[in-house]
Amino acid sequence: MPLRFARRLGLADAVTVANAAVGFLAVVAATVDVALAARLVLLAAVADGLDGVVARHRGSTPAGPYLDSLADVASFGVAPAFLVAAVVRDGRSFATDPVLVGAGVGAGALFVAAAVARLGLYTVDEDGARETVGVPTTLAATVLAAAVIAGYTAPLLLVGATTAFALLMGSTVTYPDLHAQDALVMGVVQAAVILTPAGHMATGALPAWIGEGFAFALLFLSFGYLLLGPRFYWGDGIRAPPGLRR
């Protein structure tokens, strides 16, 4: 029996739906291996960039923007929030430190709520625009995942970062879209972080530190865009808001 939506969705939509499935896998993986879960979040980020490329070259459907936001809720809302809660729960026991563990769960819940609100407003107000208001959910998820892989797993640090990102997603700070060449660089570094464990299994020639090295590079690029993007990244046909124009 053919699926009802098989004729109505395009190739880009299929990539978007796969992104949501990867988000679910990240949640499951977080119960077993937080580093694997973090890499799956980054894989979802790569898929999120790929569906845009496919849409530009193969066309999109009217359902595309809605599917994209729904998938992003799973991959960049629920998955990173659960990842942080799992790391906090691994590091602290609810019996001995109920306040911090509860804060981890609460920060994750706040992060998911902020992601849902931001993505819903993006679909209504900003789809097709070359800038976005508030920290992008993909960026917040990328930073949290890269931090876990790089070894920044102190529960208090992750709880604070998750709470901060939830608030920043609801801020009025405007971010320009990444230029194509910069998005490609970000995707290559994300792919390197994802594939490093496979490289270590395939050959012993890779230094043990190389995986964390790529994670640190990803953190550097992400934080650079997070902190400097709203003020200095405008260009390539993207006009800054009036208050930032010289």
Side-chain angles (χ1 to χ4, degrees):
M1 181 179 67
L3 296 175
R4 181 177 66 88
F5 48 75
R7 297 179 181 177
R8 301 188 61 185
L9 302 183
L11 181 59
D13 299 326
V15 176
T16 301
V17 172
N19 171 14
V22 173
F24 169 75
L25 294 177
V27 171
V28 175
T31 64
V32 180
D33 185 337
V34 293
L36 174 60
R39 286 185 167 86
L40 287 171
V41 170
L42 296 182
L43 178 60
V46 172
D48 185 58
L50 182 61
D51 67 6
V53 174
V54 174
R56 284 191 292 272
H57 288 83
R58 297 290 299 272
S60 59
T61 68
Y66 301 97
L67 292 174
D68 191 60
S69 290
L70 288 171
D72 287 358
V73 167
S75 298
F76 310 126
V78 176
F82 192 88
L83 170 64
V84 169
V87 172
V88 173
R89 182 62 183 82
D90 286 347
R92 301 295 175 90
S93 166
F94 187 80
T96 59
D97 201 346
V99 174
L100 185 55
V101 174
V105 174
L110 180 64
F111 187 92
V112 172
V116 170
R118 189 199 181 285
L119 290 164
L121 291 174
Y122 176 86
T123 303
V124 172
D125 297 331
E126 301 174 23
D127 182 52
R130 299 190 66 188
E131 65 277 335
T132 186
V133 179
V135 169
T137 54
T138 309
L139 177 62
T142 294
V143 171
L144 293 174
V148 170
I149 296 170
Y152 293 110
T153 55
L156 194 59
L157 174 65
L158 287 179
V159 169
T162 303
T163 303
F165 275 125
L167 298 176
L168 289 171
M169 281 191 280
S171 71
T172 57
V173 179
T174 303
Y175 282 81
D177 284 355
L178 281 175
H179 303 159
Q181 66 273 17
D182 296 333
L184 178 60
V185 170
M186 185 75 78
V188 168
V189 177
Q190 288 170 329
V193 176
I194 296 164
L195 296 174
T196 297
H200 282 140
M201 287 189 292
T203 175
L206 289 177
W209 53 263
I210 197 168
E212 288 187 1
F214 281 126
F216 278 115
L218 183 57
L219 279 175
F220 177 79
L221 293 172
S222 300
F223 266 110
Y225 177 65
L226 175 70
L227 299 176
L228 303 178
R231 187 70 178 87
F232 299 107
Y233 195 73
W234 301 94
D236 190 28
I238 309 176
R239 299 190 64 188
L244 293 179
R245 292 176 191 164
R246 298 175 181 176

